[in-house]
Amino acid sequence: MAGAASHLSVPREPAIAPAATVEPIWVRALLIGVALGFLTLFLFVPLAAVFTEALKRGADTYLAAITDPDALSAIRLTLITAAIAVPLNLVFGVAAAWTIAKFEFRGKNVLLTLIDLPFSVSPVISGLIYVLLFGAQGWFGPWLREHDIKILFAVPGIVLATIFVTFPFVARELIPLMQSQGTEEEEAALVLGASGWRTFWHVTLPNIKWGLLYGVILCNARAMGEFGAVSVVSGHIRGETNTMPLQVEILYNEYNFAAAFAVASLLAMLALVTLGLKTVVEWRAGSSHEAERISSPSLQSDRILSHPLQGGEAGV
């Protein structure tokens, strides 16, 4: 027995591997200080300056600046442009992401490159493209003039330019998300008898809802704040084709600083709201992903099988 006991190995405590990111406290303090200093200098100070200058002459001057007819027209045009561009980009983004993530076909890489095109082309260049197409001396200019159709220096041109610079945002948020999710759940739904449209509404859309909302938020923020492309095609007509960023430029060039910063403060508040919504969406998406990660495959199978895609509702 003693010999047998001598061969028994005593279990050892597992070795604790040192964390890869453990650094001296002074290094962490230095890095945090540099990050906070950078954010303060290039983000918080300019943001505070915008609101300080906007309210420098009092609330009455501020309200008068943002309720000026030209300012109201700029706000209205900005909202109209975003209201048209964002839903169209939403539809395009979902369709493009579905096509790229769920199917294999020739020209897939070409489509991905075209989606990324607005990221690599200057907004001013994209505006000039529309001038070459729809200008008086452009390809379609004579025909448009004969039929009294205005694209440039009017709302349609502003909307087209905004759509061009913002259409990658929704698609680029959804493509990696849908690729990582795969096609298993859609295939299971189709096996259970669901139609393609019903599979999209009850399986695909719930899985991508947070990524879709995230892309829409970014798209809306860019649509309202776009300057370069819109500046080229708008014509800077007061009260007609000026969006909020263009109105800020005009007021600032006229040395009307109080009014310029007042309108700019509206864009700054839009940025803060966008940042808040973005943070909420990221948190909700992270919570959703964590819940899916800890759920067992059997629970996921039960969710698919219990989905209203079978029986009397299948193929509706």
Side-chain angles (χ1 to χ4, degrees):
M1 294 294 292
S6 63
H7 289 85
L8 294 177
S9 59
V10 179
R12 297 180 178 180
E13 294 293 333
I16 300 177
T21 56
V22 171
E23 298 289 349
I25 188 171
W26 68 269
V27 175
R28 284 178 283 173
L30 178 62
L31 293 176
I32 294 173
V34 170
L36 291 178
F38 186 88
L39 289 175
T40 300
L41 181 61
F42 293 101
L43 179 62
F44 299 134
V45 171
L47 188 63
V50 169
F51 288 101
T52 301
E53 291 293 330
L55 298 171
K56 189 174 182 179
R57 297 186 181 179
D60 293 338
T61 303
Y62 180 84
L63 292 176
I66 63 176
T67 56
D68 180 78
D70 290 341
L72 291 177
S73 175
I75 295 172
R76 182 168 55 252
L77 179 57
T78 302
L79 295 176
I80 291 174
T81 302
I84 298 173
V86 173
L88 291 177
N89 284 325
L90 186 151
V91 174
F92 168 80
V94 172
W98 175 285
T99 302
I100 292 172
K102 305 298 182 180
F103 301 99
E104 294 294 334
F105 56 92
R106 290 185 177 180
K108 188 174 182 177
N109 291 332
V110 176
L111 180 58
L112 279 169
T113 302
L114 292 177
I115 291 175
D116 291 337
L117 186 62
F119 287 147
S120 58
V121 175
S122 170
V124 175
I125 300 302
S126 64
L128 289 175
I129 292 174
Y130 286 104
V131 172
L132 293 175
L133 289 176
F134 305 116
Q137 306 300 324
W139 291 1
F140 306 111
W143 184 88
L144 293 173
R145 186 169 58 252
E146 291 176 2
H147 293 81
D148 196 24
I149 299 175
K150 292 184 178 180
I151 302 294
L152 290 182
F153 313 138
V155 175
I158 295 174
V159 172
L160 288 174
T162 303
I163 290 173
F164 179 83
V165 298
T166 57
F167 80 79
F169 285 93
V170 176
R172 263 304 171 188
E173 288 298 325
L174 293 181
I175 289 172
L177 175 61
M178 296 178 74
Q179 286 177 333
S180 65
Q181 290 175 349
T183 60
E184 290 80 5
E185 293 193 15
E186 285 85 355
E187 292 172 354
L190 293 174
V191 169
L192 292 173
S195 63
W197 186 249
R198 194 169 185 81
T199 300
F200 171 77
W201 278 106
H202 292 282
V203 178
T204 304
L205 190 59
N207 287 339
I208 65 171
K209 60 182 179 181
W210 295 116
L212 180 61
L213 183 58
Y214 186 82
V216 168
I217 291 172
L218 295 180
C219 180
N220 181 72
R222 178 63 187 274
M224 289 190 175
E226 174 56 31
F227 177 83
V230 173
S231 177
V232 174
V233 301
S234 71
H236 296 270
I237 304 174
R238 280 181 176 271
E240 295 185 18
T241 63
N242 276 341
T243 58
M244 292 171 65
L246 300 183
Q247 182 70 10
V248 171
E249 181 199 29
I250 288 178
L251 293 173
Y252 191 85
N253 289 337
E254 293 177 348
Y255 302 100
N256 191 353
F257 299 129
F261 280 104
V263 179
S265 69
L266 298 179
L267 289 172
M269 285 187 281
L270 169 66
L272 294 176
V273 171
T274 301
L275 182 62
L277 292 174
K278 173 177 172 289
T279 303
V280 171
V281 170
E282 287 177 339
W283 175 74
R284 292 296 300 272
S287 301
S288 176
H289 292 161
E290 181 66 17
E292 291 179 0
R293 186 183 65 83
I294 63 177
S295 64
S296 63
S298 60
L299 291 178
Q300 294 181 9
S301 300
D302 292 341
R303 179 170 65 86
I304 296 175
L305 293 175
S306 62
H307 215 280
L309 295 173
Q310 49 186 335
E313 294 187 6
V316 176

